[in-house]
Structure formats: structure tokens, C-alpha cells
């Protein structure tokens, strides 16, 4: 089949570069347009972009001219890695002009008619697209992926939620520097340090899993009912967000039940052959000192989350440590997997 032409908005940033890397040799998608701010527009990508992720900038992309983020790009699908301060209206303009928008930005995640999607968790929420188009009169639409901590969290919670229920959850994050974009946190603030505040982050981690694990009822999502308390910290790792989780299950379960439920989780995507779907969305490790960001973040090409140290918690029942790659499963890889599901289900045939 012909590849689907795609564009990347915010292509020069931290997440935008990850999109470019993951899309450069994608079997279904082909980069047809790169867009960013006025600062980068009309420059060659190789000149406009200060490449900061490992591996070289793909040669085919270097000479492409960066465009403005306006809805006149030669493609059908755009991935948005725009900062929240501008993403909202720009993504709406693209959707209104007939583009499918797969967004990383927070702006539309909690809109009642916009799917907040992790394909292994809530693929049925895509049905909101029809409601969205009808209500807003758009030819295109917006689909979003969760925050970089909420995405791995929802993935790890999904099998536990389905089998046992969850009533309360505490999560303490240790988040990598790349999560702050480029140039991000000044080195003198973070070297030899950890910062116990990331603006707006705790609210996202507390709210987004409730929509993701919610049930589609008619044209709306009924949110999952559990209490989540999040404390978010910036630490001096480059990539890979670590989350220390304690939770209270809705019913009795042995440690073996919990481990087996996490380890056996596959989601419902296996038959669709989505190129970015990992064989094992959740990898469980038994060593006392894993997962670690440097050693484990690339599990499943960065699309698997890694769980370790599953043990009893005297306060809530069980606790474990979770690791997710923030710019892959928590951002670009997540949006690409969402787009693969859109393609597989015919949402890009327009
Ligand atoms: N980093 C992560 O781990 C992560 C994870 C999940 C979600 N996100 C979300 O993904 C988005 C991008 O984050 P990031 O970390 O990649 O940020 P970033 O490194 O600061 O990159 C921002 C990008 O947006 C472009 N941009 C800035 N102002 C613009 C404007 N007025 N119009 C058009 N383009 C503009 C920049 O282009 P120029 O180079 O031309 O300035 C750059 O390409 C944010 O919404 C963020 O919250 C990030």
C-alpha cells in the first residue's frame, strides 16, 4: 500500500525530534512536512534543529524545509509536538481544515469529545471521533495521548483495574530532564539536585488515568472511580520516568496474582499488526534493583513499560516501581501508535 503522508508540528523540539526519528523509516507513514515556529520556518531542518537525541538526524530529513504551523501542509495526518501555550488553537485549525491530528499536548486531552487514548487500554474510546466531528462541524479530528507519566501508569493499571478494581493509589515520580523539553531545566538548578515540583504535572497524573480507564457510555466517558494522589519530582536522568506506586485493590489478591496479571497483559491489539505495538506492553522484572532508567527505558523499543519490586505495602496493600520512556511511550511513540490504530480502523480513509 502507499504510505500515508504525515506532518510533524513542533518538529524541531525534544518530542518533535523523536517523531522524526521514529517516522523516518516507518512502514505505514512517510514524513511529507515538518513545521515549527516562525523562528525555524523557511530554514532547512538540519539548520533549524539542534539535534539532541541519540543517533544521527535521518539523512532524508536534513534538507527538508521547515514550514509554518498552518493548515496548508501536504499531508492528511499531523502529529503535534507543540507547546501547550500554542497547541490548542493550532490543532483546532488543522482539525477544522480536515486533518487528522494526533497530539501530545495537554490542551484537548480532557475535552469530553476528544479521545485520550492508549491503544492497549481504551481503543473503544475512538468512537468519540464521530461525536467530535458532528458537534464541532470538523472534517478532521483530534486524538490525544496522555502525559508522559500518565501513559505508563494507565498501561500498568489497566490489567489490575480490570481484574481486581483499584480504590486508591499514591504515585511518586522521578522524571527525566528530557520531559521538560529543550533546553529545559538549567544545569545549575538540577545537577547534584532533585526538584520537588513540576508545574501542572500532578493534576495531569491524577486526572488522566481516570479518563483512560473510564467506560464509554453512549457519547461520553464515565470516568473510573478511584482516588489518585501524585507527587512529581524532576531528577537528573536524561530519559525514562520512574514512578513509585502504592495501591489499594478492590478485592483480595496474592502477590503472585498481581505479578501474573501484570505479566500476562497483552491488550487487544495483537491481531491488528500495528508496527509500534510492543509484544509485551508490560515487562515484569524480579531483580531487587530494577527497573532503572538507564538500563530499562529502551525495553520494547521504548514502547514497553517495566515494572519491578512488586511487594506488599503496609499502608495500601501493594506497591511497585514503574518505568516508562517519556519521549517514546510517553510522547512520540504513543502518538504514532494511536495513529496506527486510526489507520487500522479506517479513520484515515478520508
Ligand atoms: N518532553 C516530553 O517528554 C513530553 C512528553 C509528553 C508530552 N510532551 C508535550 O509535547 C509538547 C512538546 O514538548 P517538547 O518537550 O518537545 O518541547 P520543546 O522541546 O520546547 O519543543 C517545542 C517545539 O514547538 C515549536 N514551537 C514553539 N513555539 C511555537 C509557535 N508559537 N508556533 C509553532 N511552533 C512552535 C518549537 O519550534 P522552534 O524550534 O521553531 O522554536 C519546537 O519545535 C508539549 O506540549 C509537551 O508538554 C512532552
Amino acid at each position: 500500500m502507499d504510505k500515508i503522508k504525515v506532518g510533524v508540528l513542533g518538529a524541531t523540539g525534544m518530542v518533535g525530534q523523536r517523531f522524526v526519528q521514529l517516522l523516518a523509516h516507518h512502514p505505514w507513514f512517510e514524513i511529507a512536512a515538518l513545521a515549527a515556529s516562525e523562528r525555524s520556518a523557511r530554514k532547512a531542518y538540519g539548520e533549524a534543529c539542534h539535534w539532541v537525541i541519540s543517533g544521527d538526524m535521518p539523512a532524508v530529513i536534513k534538507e527538508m524545509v521547515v514550514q509554518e504551523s498552518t493548515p496548508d501542509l501536504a499531508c492528511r495526518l499531523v502529529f503535534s509536538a507543540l507547546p501547550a501555550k500554542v497547541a490548542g488553537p493550532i490543532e483546532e485549525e488543522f482539525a477544522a481544515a480536515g486533518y487528522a491530528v494526533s497530539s501530545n499536548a495537554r490542551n484537548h486531552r480532557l475535552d469530553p469529545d476528544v479521545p485520550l487514548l492508549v491503544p492497549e487500554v481504551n481503543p473503544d474510546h475512538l468512537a468519540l471521533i464521530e461525536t467530535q466531528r458532528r458537534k464541532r462541524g470538523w472534517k478532521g479530528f483530534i486524538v490525544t495521548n496522555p502525559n508522559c507519566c500518565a501513559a505508563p501508569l494507565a498501561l500498568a493499571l489497566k490489567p489490575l483495574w480490570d481484574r481486581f478494581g483499584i480504590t486508591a493509589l499514591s504515585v511518586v515520580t522521578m522524571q527525566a530532564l528530557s520531559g521538560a523539553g529543550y533546553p529545559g531545566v538549567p544545569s545549575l538548578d538540577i545537577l547534584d539536585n532533585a526538584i520537588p515540583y513540576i508545574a501542572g504535572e500532578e493534576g495531569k497524573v491524577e486526572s488522566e488515568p481516570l479518563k483512560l480507564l473510564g467506560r464509554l457510555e453512549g457519547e461520553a466517558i464515565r470516568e473510573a472511580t478511584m482516588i489518585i494522589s501524585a507527587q512529581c519530582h524532576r531528577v537528573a536522568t536524561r530519559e525514562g520516568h520512574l514512578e513509585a506506586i502504592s495501591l489499594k485493590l478492590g478485592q483480595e489478591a496474592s502477590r503472585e496474582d498481581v505479578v501474573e496479571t501484570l505479566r500476562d497483559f497483552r491488550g487487544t491489539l495483537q491481531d491488528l499488526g500495528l508496527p509500534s505495538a510492543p509484544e509485551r506492553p508490560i515487562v515484569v522484572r524480579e531483580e531487587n534493583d530494577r527497573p532503572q532508567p538507564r538500563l530499562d527505558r529502551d525495553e520494547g523499543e521504548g514502547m514497553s513499560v517495566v515494572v519491578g519490586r512488586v511487594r506488599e505495602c503496609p499502608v495500601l496493600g501493594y506497591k511497585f516501581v514503574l518505568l516508562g520512556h517519556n519521549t517514546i511511550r510517553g510522547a512520540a511513540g504513543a502518538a504514532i501508535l494511536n495513529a496506527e490504530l486510526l489507520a487500522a480502523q479506517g479513520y484515515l480513509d478520508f
Side-chain angles (χ1 to χ4, degrees):
M1 79 178 183
D2 288 342
K3 289 193 181 183
I4 296 169
K5 292 190 188 315
V6 303
V8 180
L9 311 178
T12 51
M14 186 65 80
V15 174
Q17 293 179 29
R18 190 60 83 181
F19 272 119
V20 166
Q21 185 184 56
L22 296 175
L23 290 167
H25 305 290
H26 193 282
W28 296 3
F29 303 136
E30 175 189 345
I31 299 178
L34 299 170
S37 76
E38 185 54 36
R39 183 193 71 80
S40 306
R42 292 168 292 282
K43 291 182 186 158
Y45 186 71
E47 184 194 344
C49 173
H50 175 51
W51 188 260
V52 289
I53 58 175
S54 52
D56 288 340
M57 180 185 289
V60 285
I61 300 301
K62 251 183 202 163
E63 301 305 323
M64 278 184 76
V65 174
V66 178
Q67 296 174 252
E68 285 183 46
S69 297
T70 47
D72 50 6
L73 306 181
C75 57
R76 207 184 321 166
L77 164 68
V78 290
F79 293 102
S80 168
L82 292 168
K85 64 178 191 297
V86 297
I90 294 179
E91 291 174 359
E92 287 176 19
E93 280 169 31
F94 272 88
Y99 293 80
V101 179
S102 180
S103 172
N104 263 285
R106 69 160 188 267
N107 307 60
H108 295 292
R109 286 184 192 143
L110 298 182
D111 291 3
D113 58 350
V114 172
L116 174 61
L117 187 70
V118 174
E120 294 95 334
V121 172
N122 59 341
D124 57 316
H125 290 196
L126 277 187
L128 289 178
I129 287 173
E130 291 316 321
T131 313
Q132 185 191 129
R133 280 175 150 162
R134 197 186 65 245
K135 280 190 178 163
R136 304 196 191 212
W138 288 346
K139 283 187 282 170
F141 57 86
I142 300 174
V143 167
T144 59
N145 59 263
N147 160 272
C148 43
C149 284
L153 181 59
L155 201 48
L157 296 183
K158 170 68 175 170
L160 300 174
W161 169 254
D162 284 351
R163 181 163 173 197
F164 309 114
I166 300 167
T167 57
L169 181 138
S170 160
V171 50
V172 177
T173 71
M174 288 145 272
Q175 300 183 217
L177 290 171
S178 57
Y182 188 84
V185 188
S187 58
L188 286 179
D189 287 348
I190 194 69
L191 284 172
D192 187 30
N193 209 5
I195 299 172
Y197 177 67
I198 302 174
E201 195 76 354
E202 290 167 356
K204 292 181 228 170
V205 180
E206 290 173 355
S207 60
E208 292 179 14
L210 303 180
K211 183 173 179 185
L212 286 156
L213 295 172
R215 204 182 0 236
L216 179 69
E217 290 183 358
E219 295 197 332
I221 306 297
R222 180 188 287 268
E223 287 194 348
T225 49
M226 74 173 86
I227 303 166
I228 302 180
S229 171
Q231 299 186 71
C232 296
H233 307 82
R234 185 72 67 198
V235 298
T237 47
R238 277 182 67 101
E239 284 184 307
H241 289 352
L242 208 54
E243 306 181 36
I245 292 161
S246 301
L247 51 75
K248 189 169 172 55
L249 297 175
Q251 62 188 71
E252 291 280 308
S254 67
R255 178 186 180 277
E256 288 64 39
D257 289 338
V258 172
V259 169
E260 178 194 275
T261 304
L262 289 163
R263 182 175 280 146
D264 290 349
F265 179 65
R266 293 290 179 275
T268 53
L269 302 179
Q270 303 306 317
D271 299 338
L272 296 176
L274 306 186
S276 303
E279 199 182 315
R280 292 184 299 160
I282 302 172
V283 172
V284 180
R285 301 198 66 114
E286 291 291 355
E287 302 92 325
N288 279 334
D289 59 354
R290 305 286 281 272
Q292 295 179 22
R294 194 148 46 90
L295 300 182
D296 298 309
R297 61 193 168 207
D298 293 327
E299 186 71 57
E301 312 286 331
M303 288 299 283
S304 296
V305 301
V306 185
V307 168
R309 306 209 64 218
V310 180
R311 60 213 192 278
E312 289 187 3
C313 164
V315 179
L316 288 176
Y318 282 102
K319 54 186 171 182
F320 58 85
V321 179
L322 170 69
L323 175 73
H325 195 304
N326 55 296
T327 61
I328 302 182
R329 178 53 94 160
I336 292 170
L337 184 60
N338 284 354
E340 291 169 3
L341 183 64
L342 290 169
Q345 299 203 336
Y347 284 99
L348 301 181
D349 302 336
F350 61 92

